[in-house]
Amino acid sequence: MALQADLSNKYETLFEMKNHELGKISKTRQAAWEYIWMQGQMPYLDPGNVLILKNQMPGARDVKTYDEWKRAGYSIKKGERALKIFSPRPNHKKGALLEVLNVFDITQTTRSYSWAPICDLPRTHLVALVLVAGVELAQFKKITPNTKNVAYLEKENILVVNPHVDDELLMLHATENAIYRLREKNQLAYFLQGDWETRVKSAHFAAQIYIARYGFEDPIGQEESLTTLSSFDLKEREELLIQARSDFVAIMERTEALFPNLAKKYPLKDERGLIR
């Protein structure tokens, strides 16, 4: 009974961590950005676990169990305490049960860490995202102070971009466009309840996570994400994060699969060094 009570307390503590962070990310742009960045670095983790990790170690970027790090050839530094997350365990009667899993971040190991995204050139991403979306790319012929950053011409299936806009912002817009186009083709699972505006906001949030993975940040977009999160209760907020992570992972997997071939024509790294 004591063992069961201890396990129940651990579960309750992790759920409290998650809900606490769900509340925090709607209050400041910094808190929202910390979640966005962490989710971008750890696409293999669901939002709940990212929030739980954020509560224990803000800035965690790659977690594995003790045995997983050992198999990879690395040890845990002396004195480091395990971080705790949930892990589903298959159960033939109930489908899956949650168990508490001890993990360690890469910064807690003997492995030297340097942040090195697969691609840090927005133009390369732009090409990949256009290919993923299945659209053609064009530039506005005439640029005026009122020219938009991007426009999607539905009949022609063309994404028109303003070449005078920062490449990072075009990358963000192209990510959003790719999500819209794949949703239209039913190639992305969409389960978030809500109206059209809610669907748009979830795509914008997913795009924020995508660009964060590769070292870019959009403060204006983060303010929009903050406003979106603030308008939802905790349950709706978590649903939005789950949807955004699902879209982000789907887009990431598609673009990164294209990089080996694109690299022959478009470099994957900025020769001047990493952006961040």
Side-chain angles (χ1 to χ4, degrees), residues 69-111:
W69 282 121
K70 186 176 180 179
R71 286 195 293 271
Y74 303 104
S75 303
I76 306 302
K77 295 176 184 175
K78 187 176 180 179
E80 294 288 349
R81 297 182 61 181
L83 308 170
K84 299 184 184 302
I85 61 174
F86 282 126
S87 177
R89 177 167 55 85
N91 182 285
H92 68 282
K93 292 183 178 180
K94 298 182 179 180
L97 296 174
L98 286 179
E99 64 179 9
V100 177
L101 190 67
N102 289 331
V103 295
F104 296 87
D105 184 56
I106 188 171
T107 58
Q108 296 177 284
T109 73
T110 54
R111 178 179 176 181

Short mmCIF file of all heavy atoms in Angstrom, two decimals, residues 69-111:
data_model
loop_
_atom_site.label_atom_id
_atom_site.label_comp_id
_atom_site.label_asym_id
_atom_site.label_seq_id
_atom_site.Cartn_x
_atom_site.Cartn_y
_atom_site.Cartn_z
N TRP A 69 21.75 6.56 -22.27
CA TRP A 69 22.99 7.32 -22.35
C TRP A 69 24.19 6.39 -22.27
O TRP A 69 25.20 6.58 -22.98
CB TRP A 69 23.07 8.37 -21.24
CG TRP A 69 22.26 9.60 -21.47
CD1 TRP A 69 21.25 10.08 -20.68
CD2 TRP A 69 22.38 10.52 -22.57
NE1 TRP A 69 20.73 11.23 -21.22
CE2 TRP A 69 21.41 11.53 -22.37
CE3 TRP A 69 23.21 10.58 -23.68
CZ2 TRP A 69 21.25 12.59 -23.26
CZ3 TRP A 69 23.05 11.64 -24.59
CH2 TRP A 69 22.08 12.63 -24.37
N LYS A 70 24.09 5.36 -21.44
CA LYS A 70 25.19 4.39 -21.29
C LYS A 70 25.43 3.66 -22.60
O LYS A 70 26.58 3.47 -23.02
CB LYS A 70 24.86 3.40 -20.16
CG LYS A 70 26.00 2.45 -19.83
CD LYS A 70 25.65 1.55 -18.64
CE LYS A 70 26.81 0.61 -18.32
NZ LYS A 70 26.48 -0.26 -17.15
N ARG A 71 24.34 3.24 -23.26
CA ARG A 71 24.48 2.55 -24.55
C ARG A 71 25.08 3.46 -25.61
O ARG A 71 25.74 3.01 -26.54
CB ARG A 71 23.12 2.02 -25.03
CG ARG A 71 22.63 0.79 -24.26
CD ARG A 71 21.50 0.10 -24.99
NE ARG A 71 20.30 0.92 -25.04
CZ ARG A 71 19.35 0.90 -24.11
NH1 ARG A 71 19.48 0.12 -23.04
NH2 ARG A 71 18.28 1.66 -24.23
N ALA A 72 24.83 4.77 -25.46
CA ALA A 72 25.39 5.74 -26.40
C ALA A 72 26.85 6.07 -26.09
O ALA A 72 27.51 6.78 -26.85
CB ALA A 72 24.55 7.02 -26.39
N GLY A 73 27.35 5.52 -24.97
CA GLY A 73 28.75 5.71 -24.61
C GLY A 73 29.02 6.87 -23.68
O GLY A 73 30.17 7.32 -23.57
N TYR A 74 27.99 7.34 -22.97
CA TYR A 74 28.17 8.50 -22.08
C TYR A 74 27.70 8.17 -20.67
O TYR A 74 26.81 7.33 -20.47
CB TYR A 74 27.41 9.70 -22.62
CG TYR A 74 27.82 10.07 -24.02
CD1 TYR A 74 27.01 9.75 -25.10
CD2 TYR A 74 29.04 10.70 -24.27
CE1 TYR A 74 27.39 10.04 -26.40
CE2 TYR A 74 29.43 11.01 -25.56
CZ TYR A 74 28.60 10.68 -26.62
OH TYR A 74 28.99 10.97 -27.90
N SER A 75 28.29 8.85 -19.70
CA SER A 75 27.93 8.65 -18.29
C SER A 75 27.22 9.89 -17.77
O SER A 75 27.34 10.98 -18.32
CB SER A 75 29.19 8.39 -17.46
OG SER A 75 29.91 7.28 -17.96
N ILE A 76 26.51 9.70 -16.66
CA ILE A 76 25.87 10.81 -15.99
C ILE A 76 26.87 11.44 -15.02
O ILE A 76 27.56 10.73 -14.29
CB ILE A 76 24.62 10.34 -15.20
CG1 ILE A 76 23.67 9.57 -16.13
CG2 ILE A 76 23.91 11.53 -14.57
CD1 ILE A 76 23.20 10.34 -17.33
N LYS A 77 26.97 12.75 -15.03
CA LYS A 77 27.90 13.43 -14.15
C LYS A 77 27.55 13.16 -12.68
O LYS A 77 26.36 13.03 -12.34
CB LYS A 77 27.87 14.95 -14.40
CG LYS A 77 28.35 15.37 -15.77
CD LYS A 77 28.18 16.87 -15.96
CE LYS A 77 28.56 17.32 -17.35
NZ LYS A 77 28.28 18.76 -17.56
N LYS A 78 28.56 13.12 -11.86
CA LYS A 78 28.35 12.86 -10.44
C LYS A 78 27.50 13.96 -9.81
O LYS A 78 27.73 15.15 -10.05
CB LYS A 78 29.70 12.78 -9.73
CG LYS A 78 29.61 12.35 -8.28
CD LYS A 78 30.99 12.21 -7.67
CE LYS A 78 30.90 11.78 -6.20
NZ LYS A 78 32.25 11.61 -5.58
N GLY A 79 26.52 13.54 -9.02
CA GLY A 79 25.69 14.50 -8.30
C GLY A 79 24.46 14.97 -9.06
O GLY A 79 23.63 15.69 -8.49
N GLU A 80 24.32 14.56 -10.33
CA GLU A 80 23.15 14.98 -11.10
C GLU A 80 21.91 14.21 -10.67
O GLU A 80 21.96 12.99 -10.45
CB GLU A 80 23.39 14.77 -12.60
CG GLU A 80 24.47 15.66 -13.20
CD GLU A 80 24.03 17.11 -13.30
OE1 GLU A 80 22.83 17.40 -13.11
OE2 GLU A 80 24.90 17.96 -13.57
N ARG A 81 20.80 14.90 -10.55
CA ARG A 81 19.54 14.27 -10.17
C ARG A 81 18.69 13.99 -11.38
O ARG A 81 18.64 14.79 -12.33
CB ARG A 81 18.77 15.18 -9.20
CG ARG A 81 19.50 15.42 -7.88
CD ARG A 81 18.67 16.29 -6.96
NE ARG A 81 17.40 15.67 -6.63
CZ ARG A 81 16.47 16.23 -5.85
NH1 ARG A 81 16.69 17.44 -5.35
NH2 ARG A 81 15.35 15.62 -5.59
N ALA A 82 18.02 12.87 -11.37
CA ALA A 82 17.19 12.48 -12.51
C ALA A 82 15.99 13.42 -12.66
O ALA A 82 15.45 13.93 -11.67
CB ALA A 82 16.71 11.05 -12.34
N LEU A 83 15.61 13.66 -13.88
CA LEU A 83 14.37 14.37 -14.19
C LEU A 83 13.29 13.31 -14.40
O LEU A 83 13.59 12.20 -14.83
CB LEU A 83 14.55 15.21 -15.45
CG LEU A 83 15.75 16.15 -15.47
CD1 LEU A 83 15.95 16.74 -16.86
CD2 LEU A 83 15.59 17.25 -14.44
N LYS A 84 12.06 13.67 -14.13
CA LYS A 84 10.99 12.69 -14.24
C LYS A 84 9.97 13.10 -15.30
O LYS A 84 9.58 14.27 -15.39
CB LYS A 84 10.30 12.50 -12.88
CG LYS A 84 11.26 11.99 -11.82
CD LYS A 84 10.56 11.70 -10.51
CE LYS A 84 11.56 11.29 -9.43
NZ LYS A 84 12.34 10.10 -9.81
N ILE A 85 9.56 12.13 -16.11
CA ILE A 85 8.53 12.34 -17.11
C ILE A 85 7.59 11.14 -17.09
O ILE A 85 7.87 10.13 -16.43
CB ILE A 85 9.11 12.52 -18.54
CG1 ILE A 85 9.90 11.28 -18.96
CG2 ILE A 85 9.98 13.77 -18.60
CD1 ILE A 85 10.37 11.32 -20.41
N PHE A 86 6.52 11.22 -17.85
CA PHE A 86 5.61 10.09 -18.00
C PHE A 86 6.02 9.28 -19.22
O PHE A 86 6.48 9.82 -20.23
CB PHE A 86 4.17 10.57 -18.20
CG PHE A 86 3.49 11.01 -16.94
CD1 PHE A 86 2.90 12.27 -16.85
CD2 PHE A 86 3.41 10.18 -15.84
CE1 PHE A 86 2.26 12.69 -15.70
CE2 PHE A 86 2.78 10.58 -14.67
CZ PHE A 86 2.20 11.84 -14.60
N SER A 87 5.84 7.97 -19.14
CA SER A 87 6.09 7.10 -20.28
C SER A 87 4.96 6.08 -20.36
O SER A 87 4.66 5.42 -19.37
CB SER A 87 7.43 6.38 -20.11
OG SER A 87 7.65 5.47 -21.17
N PRO A 88 4.32 5.96 -21.53
CA PRO A 88 3.24 4.98 -21.66
C PRO A 88 3.79 3.55 -21.69
O PRO A 88 4.80 3.29 -22.34
CB PRO A 88 2.58 5.34 -23.00
CG PRO A 88 3.67 6.03 -23.77
CD PRO A 88 4.50 6.74 -22.76
N ARG A 89 3.17 2.67 -20.94
CA ARG A 89 3.57 1.26 -20.91
C ARG A 89 2.41 0.42 -21.44
O ARG A 89 1.30 0.51 -20.93
CB ARG A 89 3.93 0.84 -19.48
CG ARG A 89 4.30 -0.62 -19.33
CD ARG A 89 4.94 -0.88 -17.97
NE ARG A 89 4.10 -0.43 -16.87
CZ ARG A 89 3.13 -1.15 -16.32
NH1 ARG A 89 2.84 -2.35 -16.79
NH2 ARG A 89 2.43 -0.68 -15.29
N PRO A 90 2.66 -0.37 -22.49
CA PRO A 90 1.58 -1.19 -23.06
C PRO A 90 0.94 -2.10 -22.02
O PRO A 90 1.62 -2.66 -21.17
CB PRO A 90 2.29 -2.01 -24.14
CG PRO A 90 3.51 -1.22 -24.48
CD PRO A 90 3.93 -0.56 -23.19
N ASN A 91 -0.38 -2.20 -22.09
CA ASN A 91 -1.12 -3.07 -21.18
C ASN A 91 -2.21 -3.75 -21.99
O ASN A 91 -3.06 -3.08 -22.58
CB ASN A 91 -1.71 -2.27 -20.02
CG ASN A 91 -2.44 -3.15 -19.03
OD1 ASN A 91 -3.55 -3.61 -19.29
ND2 ASN A 91 -1.81 -3.39 -17.88
N HIS A 92 -2.19 -5.07 -22.07
CA HIS A 92 -3.12 -5.79 -22.95
C HIS A 92 -4.57 -5.65 -22.52
O HIS A 92 -5.49 -5.83 -23.32
CB HIS A 92 -2.74 -7.27 -23.03
CG HIS A 92 -2.95 -8.03 -21.75
ND1 HIS A 92 -2.06 -7.96 -20.69
CD2 HIS A 92 -3.95 -8.88 -21.38
CE1 HIS A 92 -2.50 -8.74 -19.71
NE2 HIS A 92 -3.64 -9.30 -20.09
N LYS A 93 -4.80 -5.26 -21.27
CA LYS A 93 -6.17 -5.11 -20.78
C LYS A 93 -6.67 -3.67 -20.92
O LYS A 93 -7.81 -3.42 -21.30
CB LYS A 93 -6.27 -5.55 -19.32
CG LYS A 93 -6.08 -7.05 -19.11
CD LYS A 93 -6.26 -7.41 -17.64
CE LYS A 93 -6.11 -8.91 -17.44
NZ LYS A 93 -6.29 -9.30 -16.01
N LYS A 94 -5.80 -2.71 -20.63
CA LYS A 94 -6.22 -1.31 -20.60
C LYS A 94 -5.61 -0.46 -21.71
O LYS A 94 -5.76 0.75 -21.73
CB LYS A 94 -5.87 -0.69 -19.24
CG LYS A 94 -6.57 -1.37 -18.08
CD LYS A 94 -6.22 -0.69 -16.76
CE LYS A 94 -6.95 -1.36 -15.59
NZ LYS A 94 -6.63 -0.72 -14.29
N GLY A 95 -4.92 -1.11 -22.65
CA GLY A 95 -4.34 -0.38 -23.77
C GLY A 95 -2.96 0.16 -23.46
O GLY A 95 -1.97 -0.25 -24.04
N ALA A 96 -2.88 1.10 -22.51
CA ALA A 96 -1.59 1.66 -22.10
C ALA A 96 -1.73 2.28 -20.71
O ALA A 96 -2.77 2.84 -20.38
CB ALA A 96 -1.11 2.69 -23.10
N LEU A 97 -0.69 2.14 -19.93
CA LEU A 97 -0.66 2.74 -18.61
C LEU A 97 0.52 3.70 -18.54
O LEU A 97 1.55 3.49 -19.19
CB LEU A 97 -0.50 1.66 -17.54
CG LEU A 97 -1.65 0.65 -17.39
CD1 LEU A 97 -1.26 -0.43 -16.39
CD2 LEU A 97 -2.92 1.34 -16.96
N LEU A 98 0.38 4.75 -17.76
CA LEU A 98 1.47 5.69 -17.59
C LEU A 98 2.37 5.24 -16.46
O LEU A 98 1.90 4.83 -15.39
CB LEU A 98 0.93 7.10 -17.28
CG LEU A 98 0.31 7.87 -18.43
CD1 LEU A 98 -0.19 9.22 -17.92
CD2 LEU A 98 1.29 8.08 -19.57
N GLU A 99 3.67 5.29 -16.69
CA GLU A 99 4.62 5.05 -15.62
C GLU A 99 5.57 6.24 -15.54
O GLU A 99 5.75 6.97 -16.52
CB GLU A 99 5.39 3.75 -15.85
CG GLU A 99 6.26 3.74 -17.07
CD GLU A 99 7.03 2.43 -17.22
OE1 GLU A 99 6.75 1.49 -16.46
OE2 GLU A 99 7.89 2.35 -18.11
N VAL A 100 6.14 6.45 -14.38
CA VAL A 100 7.09 7.55 -14.18
C VAL A 100 8.47 7.06 -14.61
O VAL A 100 8.94 6.02 -14.16
CB VAL A 100 7.11 8.02 -12.72
CG1 VAL A 100 8.16 9.11 -12.52
CG2 VAL A 100 5.72 8.53 -12.32
N LEU A 101 9.11 7.84 -15.49
CA LEU A 101 10.41 7.46 -16.05
C LEU A 101 11.48 8.46 -15.63
O LEU A 101 11.26 9.67 -15.70
CB LEU A 101 10.30 7.42 -17.58
CG LEU A 101 11.47 6.82 -18.36
CD1 LEU A 101 11.58 5.32 -18.08
CD2 LEU A 101 11.27 7.05 -19.86
N ASN A 102 12.62 7.96 -15.20
CA ASN A 102 13.76 8.81 -14.84
C ASN A 102 14.61 9.07 -16.08
O ASN A 102 15.02 8.11 -16.75
CB ASN A 102 14.61 8.16 -13.76
CG ASN A 102 13.93 8.14 -12.41
OD1 ASN A 102 13.12 9.01 -12.09
ND2 ASN A 102 14.25 7.15 -11.59
N VAL A 103 14.88 10.33 -16.39
CA VAL A 103 15.70 10.68 -17.55
C VAL A 103 16.72 11.74 -17.15
O VAL A 103 16.60 12.37 -16.09
CB VAL A 103 14.83 11.20 -18.72
CG1 VAL A 103 13.91 10.12 -19.25
CG2 VAL A 103 14.04 12.45 -18.30
N PHE A 104 17.71 11.93 -18.00
CA PHE A 104 18.73 12.94 -17.78
C PHE A 104 18.90 13.74 -19.07
O PHE A 104 18.89 13.19 -20.17
CB PHE A 104 20.07 12.29 -17.40
CG PHE A 104 20.04 11.54 -16.09
CD1 PHE A 104 19.63 10.21 -16.06
CD2 PHE A 104 20.39 12.17 -14.91
CE1 PHE A 104 19.59 9.51 -14.86
CE2 PHE A 104 20.35 11.48 -13.71
CZ PHE A 104 19.95 10.15 -13.68
N ASP A 105 19.10 15.04 -18.92
CA ASP A 105 19.34 15.89 -20.07
C ASP A 105 20.79 15.73 -20.52
O ASP A 105 21.66 15.36 -19.72
CB ASP A 105 19.06 17.36 -19.72
CG ASP A 105 19.21 18.27 -20.93
OD1 ASP A 105 18.55 18.01 -21.95
OD2 ASP A 105 19.99 19.23 -20.84
N ILE A 106 21.04 16.03 -21.77
CA ILE A 106 22.39 15.90 -22.31
C ILE A 106 23.41 16.74 -21.54
O ILE A 106 24.57 16.37 -21.41
CB ILE A 106 22.40 16.28 -23.82
CG1 ILE A 106 23.76 15.96 -24.43
CG2 ILE A 106 22.03 17.75 -24.01
CD1 ILE A 106 23.77 16.11 -25.95
N THR A 107 22.95 17.87 -20.98
CA THR A 107 23.86 18.73 -20.21
C THR A 107 24.25 18.09 -18.88
O THR A 107 25.17 18.57 -18.21
CB THR A 107 23.22 20.09 -19.94
OG1 THR A 107 21.97 19.90 -19.24
CG2 THR A 107 22.94 20.84 -21.24
N GLN A 108 23.57 17.01 -18.48
CA GLN A 108 23.89 16.32 -17.23
C GLN A 108 24.85 15.15 -17.47
O GLN A 108 25.18 14.43 -16.54
CB GLN A 108 22.61 15.79 -16.58
CG GLN A 108 21.62 16.86 -16.14
CD GLN A 108 20.36 16.26 -15.58
OE1 GLN A 108 19.49 15.76 -16.31
NE2 GLN A 108 20.24 16.28 -14.25
N THR A 109 25.27 14.97 -18.73
CA THR A 109 26.12 13.84 -19.08
C THR A 109 27.55 14.29 -19.39
O THR A 109 27.84 15.49 -19.44
CB THR A 109 25.57 13.10 -20.32
OG1 THR A 109 25.81 13.90 -21.50
CG2 THR A 109 24.09 12.85 -20.19
N THR A 110 28.41 13.32 -19.62
CA THR A 110 29.80 13.60 -19.97
C THR A 110 29.96 13.96 -21.44
O THR A 110 31.07 14.26 -21.89
CB THR A 110 30.68 12.38 -19.67
OG1 THR A 110 30.14 11.21 -20.33
CG2 THR A 110 30.75 12.13 -18.17
N ARG A 111 28.88 13.92 -22.18
CA ARG A 111 28.95 14.29 -23.59
C ARG A 111 29.04 15.81 -23.72
O ARG A 111 28.23 16.53 -23.14
CB ARG A 111 27.73 13.79 -24.35
CG ARG A 111 27.74 14.18 -25.82
CD ARG A 111 26.51 13.65 -26.54
NE ARG A 111 26.50 14.13 -27.92
CZ ARG A 111 25.52 13.85 -28.80
NH1 ARG A 111 24.50 13.09 -28.42
NH2 ARG A 111 25.57 14.30 -30.02
#
